[in-house]
Amino acid sequence: MTPLPTADAPHAPATAYAFTQRFSSTPRGARLARRLALHQLDAWGVPHGSTASDTAAVLVAELAANAVTHGRVPGRDFELSLRLTGRTLRIEVSDARGERRPPAGGVAEPAPLAEEGRGLLLVAALAHRWEVLDRAPVGKTVAAELELPG
């Protein structure tokens, strides 16, 4: 039986990292968000080209593209936030269009020849969890969580 740690016993501190940046609501802003996210993850020890990095790249790219395409308000930016706590990476993309939310109860399969509607299917397939949250004072945040390998 392992004794419970006491206040005097040393223990490993939980490491948490955070990154937040606003980008212009343009395709160029979405590309920059993906590139800076990968650079930041590499600095945190998630190397470029790893499965975790590649999966995070797809998640950031899809969420940023959705913010630029469906959540754009002229003159308003979108925001990318990354939080790495332990092995959990949380990716949040916020935009100013709170009234344009993804459908509740999951994402419907698009028509076979539809030109859009597959982005959130990728997010749902790759992320371990995802959700849509209200953003104060205006807008919405789409968050996806990814469990990184130990």
Side-chain angles (χ1 to χ4, degrees), residues 2 6-7 17 21 26-28 38 41 48 50 53 65 69 79-80 83 87 90 92 101-102 105 110-111 129-130 146:
T2 306
T6 64
Y17 300 98
Q21 179 73 44
T26 63
R28 183 177 185 195
L38 292 180
L41 289 175
H48 284 288
S50 66
S53 177
T69 304
E79 183 177 86
L80 168 68
R83 282 197 317 268
R87 294 184 6 210
R90 184 171 176 89
E92 295 181 349
R101 299 172 71 90
R129 291 167 295 285
W130 73 280
L146 182 62

Side-chain angles (χ1 to χ4, degrees), residues 25 63-74 76-78 94-101 139-140:
S25 289
L63 295 177
N66 283 351
V68 167
T69 304
H70 305 296
R72 184 176 186 277
V73 172
R76 302 288 301 267
D77 295 338
F78 75 92
S94 302
D95 64 54
R97 297 285 300 264
E99 76 279 5
R100 300 220 32 208
R101 299 172 71 90
K140 69 179 173 302

Side-chain angles (χ1 to χ4, degrees), residues 92-95 101 131-135 139-143:
E92 295 181 349
V93 175
S94 302
D95 64 54
R101 299 172 71 90
E131 62 184 337
V132 182
L133 306 165
D134 290 329
R135 184 172 188 237
K140 69 179 173 302
T141 298
V142 181

